[in-house]
């Protein structure tokens, strides 16, 4: 007797369509996970961090940090590797199905092997050129914060020079 997960995996690998109920449940779960991820990300950040926070792969594409292409996304779960295409709009395409986020793709693939999986953070699970996508996002955010700090330091330095000039009258 073969497990339900094996049957799903076998159908997925062969390209057979899933039963409508499974697809609908997975689509609903992906949408709920996406909403939950965006709520959690924005609620735990300060106003400055929200301004610097990158919440989509599309932003990284627009900045030139990552490039869309066929087979550029990779994920391994329980010894099984998954490969997907990164589309120019930031969506993920795998076996003819388009996913609106890396997290929705990663959780969908992992559910093929473990159906009761509740959610997944695609920024940590999905790799681009051997590195988690989250590391690219973190690098950009770190550079933005450093630039902002440097700008603030320059502003403070110039402000103190102006104050000195105004108080001394020179």
């Amino acid at each position: 007797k073969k497990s339900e997960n094996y049957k799903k995996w076998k159908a997925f690998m062969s390209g057979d369509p899933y039963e409508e109920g499974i697809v609908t449940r997975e689509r609903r779960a992906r949408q709920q996970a996406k909403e939950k991820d965006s709520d959690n990300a924005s609620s735990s950040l300060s106003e400055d961090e929200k301004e610097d926070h990158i919440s989509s792969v599309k932003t990284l594409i627009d900045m030139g940090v990552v490039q869309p292409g066929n087979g550029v996304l990779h994920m391994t779960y329980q010894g099984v590797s998954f490969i997907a295409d990164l589309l120019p709009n930031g969506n993920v395409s795998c076996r003819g199905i388009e996913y609106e986020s890396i997290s929705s793709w990663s959780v969908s693939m992992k559910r093929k092997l473990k159906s009761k999986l509740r959610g997944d953070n695609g920024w940590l699970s999905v790799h681009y050129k051997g590195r988690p996508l989250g590391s690219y996002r973190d690098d950009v955010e770190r550079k933005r914060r450093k630039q902002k700090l440097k700008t603030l330091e320059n502003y403070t330095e110039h402000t103190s020079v102006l104050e000195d000039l105004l108080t001394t009258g020179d």
Side-chain angles (χ1 to χ4, degrees):
K1 182 178 175 182
K2 295 184 179 179
S3 73
E4 183 66 27
N5 286 340
Y6 177 78
K7 289 177 187 175
K8 286 182 183 180
W9 178 82
K10 187 76 171 166
F12 171 76
M13 296 307 282
S14 66
D16 291 343
Y18 291 108
E19 298 171 12
E20 182 59 32
I22 293 172
V23 173
T24 304
R25 278 195 307 269
E26 287 181 5
R27 189 175 295 132
R28 188 178 313 119
R30 283 195 306 266
Q31 183 62 33
Q32 289 170 345
K34 184 179 176 183
E35 290 169 1
K36 182 179 175 185
D37 285 348
S38 66
D39 289 345
N40 288 343
S42 61
S43 64
S44 63
L45 300 174
S46 71
E47 288 303 316
D48 284 342
E49 289 172 324
K50 283 180 188 178
E51 187 177 301
D52 291 337
H53 185 69
I54 295 172
S55 60
S56 74
V57 180
K58 174 73 168 118
T59 306
L60 293 177
I61 292 170
D62 291 344
M63 296 175 82
V65 176
V66 298
Q67 303 298 319
N70 295 334
V72 297
L73 299 180
H74 179 266
M75 179 182 65
T76 302
Y77 183 65
Q78 293 183 345
V80 178
S81 292
F82 301 96
I83 296 174
D85 305 332
L86 179 58
L87 303 177
N89 64 1
N91 290 355
V92 177
S93 177
C94 181
R95 293 193 163 264
I97 301 172
E98 190 170 323
Y99 300 89
E100 292 183 1
S101 72
I102 53 174
S103 293
S104 63
W105 174 65
S106 66
V107 78
S108 179
M109 296 303 103
K110 289 179 178 185
R111 282 187 181 147
K112 309 282 184 230
L113 303 174
K114 186 177 179 182
S115 63
K116 295 188 181 196
L117 185 71
R118 297 186 78 183
D120 189 53
N121 183 343
W123 290 104
L124 300 175
S125 299
V126 179
H127 289 72
Y128 174 84
K129 294 189 178 181
R131 287 176 52 197
L133 272 169
S135 69
Y136 292 94
R137 178 193 63 187
D138 295 344
D139 289 349
V140 170
E141 289 177 353
R142 197 173 303 111
K143 285 179 186 176
R144 282 182 171 181
R145 284 192 298 271
K146 281 183 181 178
Q147 272 185 319
K148 196 179 238 185
L149 184 60
K150 189 173 184 176
T151 302
L152 183 61
E153 288 172 352
N154 287 340
Y155 174 78
T156 305
E157 182 180 315
H158 291 297
T159 303
S160 66
V161 169
L162 286 172
E163 286 175 351
D164 288 346
L165 287 172
L166 290 173
T167 55
T168 60
D170 294 334

